Amino acid sequence: KASLLASIVPVVFTLALLFVVIPKLYPQPKRLAGPEQIPESAQEIGIVYNNQIELLATEVNNFTNGQPNKITTYWQALTDVEKDYIVSTELIVPMIDRWEKTATVETYPGRGLAPTGGWRMGEVYRDEVVLITTMDRNGPTAAFLRVQLLDGEQAIPASQGEQTVETRGGGSAIIYPEKPLAPPLKAQLETPISFGGIFDLIA
């Protein structure tokens, strides 16, 4: 019995590694039959990179600070692509005088399992990355997705419609705090003040 158990454990461990752990760490890219397979829930984007690759759409859910969140992107090759481009996915927050980056991932499509070098004209791919926000905010904060293709460390030209894309354009989301604020007792009002049944001033 001990020998049988000892022989089963490595097999179970290997299967768990192949079918559970690795897919979570390295989401598998998927080639789609065409743009019609993109779900209606996805946000249409239409960013074209160097007249070679188009970011057709993205799916971005709202974030909770400090927790992982999956970003799904849909791509189409507009020509036969020879170069392996790095996909840079960033979540940025507008500030008064700048854009603040709160999460970023730089990787080849499919963590290298579906490099752009080799994509053929008309092919459509779905890819996934996971972002974790790291920002200290008291309440819900608007954020935007910036998706770039990098040739080494240099971002290749991108356009959306007839405009050059430099900052945002890959979708939007809300970042929620990990825990709601709890005002100190001495600041709390005895009777909250209601604003049209939408908000209450409690402290």
Side-chain angles (χ1 to χ4, degrees):
K1 289 182 180 180
S3 299
L4 180 61
L5 182 62
S7 64
I8 290 176
V9 168
V11 175
V12 172
F13 177 79
T14 302
L15 291 175
L17 191 65
L18 289 174
F19 295 103
V20 179
V21 178
I22 291 179
K24 285 187 177 181
L25 292 177
Y26 303 98
Q28 297 291 312
K30 182 178 181 181
R31 182 177 165 184
L32 305 181
E36 64 277 0
Q37 287 196 310
I38 298 175
E40 293 183 0
S41 57
Q43 181 178 347
E44 185 177 345
I45 303 299
I47 297 179
V48 176
Y49 300 86
N50 210 25
N51 295 320
Q52 298 182 59
I53 298 174
E54 182 177 356
L55 176 60
L56 298 174
T58 60
E59 288 183 278
V60 188
N61 297 317
N62 290 330
F63 286 77
T64 298
N65 193 44
Q67 297 184 12
N69 192 16
K70 183 176 67 175
I71 308 294
T72 305
T73 51
Y74 298 88
W75 304 86
Q76 184 171 35
L78 304 179
T79 184
D80 292 348
V81 184
E82 303 302 330
K83 281 194 173 183
D84 289 336
Y85 294 113
I86 298 171
V87 180
S88 172
T89 308
E90 301 175 337
L91 195 69
I92 54 177
V93 175
M95 308 297 285
I96 294 176
D97 57 350
R98 68 187 191 282
W99 292 89
E100 180 179 317
K101 183 167 33 177
T102 179
T104 182
V105 171
E106 291 184 0
T107 181
Y108 294 102
R111 298 283 184 173
L113 297 177
T116 57
W119 287 10
R120 292 296 172 254
M121 185 171 62
E123 291 180 348
V124 177
Y125 288 88
R126 182 185 68 193
D127 196 18
E128 296 176 355
V129 296
V130 175
L131 292 180
I132 301 177
T133 56
T134 54
M135 63 181 303
D136 186 15
R137 292 289 185 271
N138 292 332
T141 303
F144 300 94
L145 197 67
R146 175 168 61 185
V147 182
Q148 301 179 96
L149 291 185
L150 307 180
D151 186 1
E153 296 183 356
Q154 185 70 32
I156 67 174
S159 60
Q160 192 173 27
E162 297 182 355
Q163 295 184 343
T164 300
V165 176
E166 295 180 355
T167 308
R168 66 186 188 187
S172 61
I174 302 295
I175 304 174
Y176 290 96
E178 187 175 1
K179 295 180 181 179
L181 276 180
L185 291 175
K186 64 180 181 180
Q188 293 185 21
L189 302 177
E190 291 185 7
T191 303
I193 301 173
S194 177
F195 291 85
I198 301 173
F199 300 104
D200 282 347
L201 177 63
I202 63 171

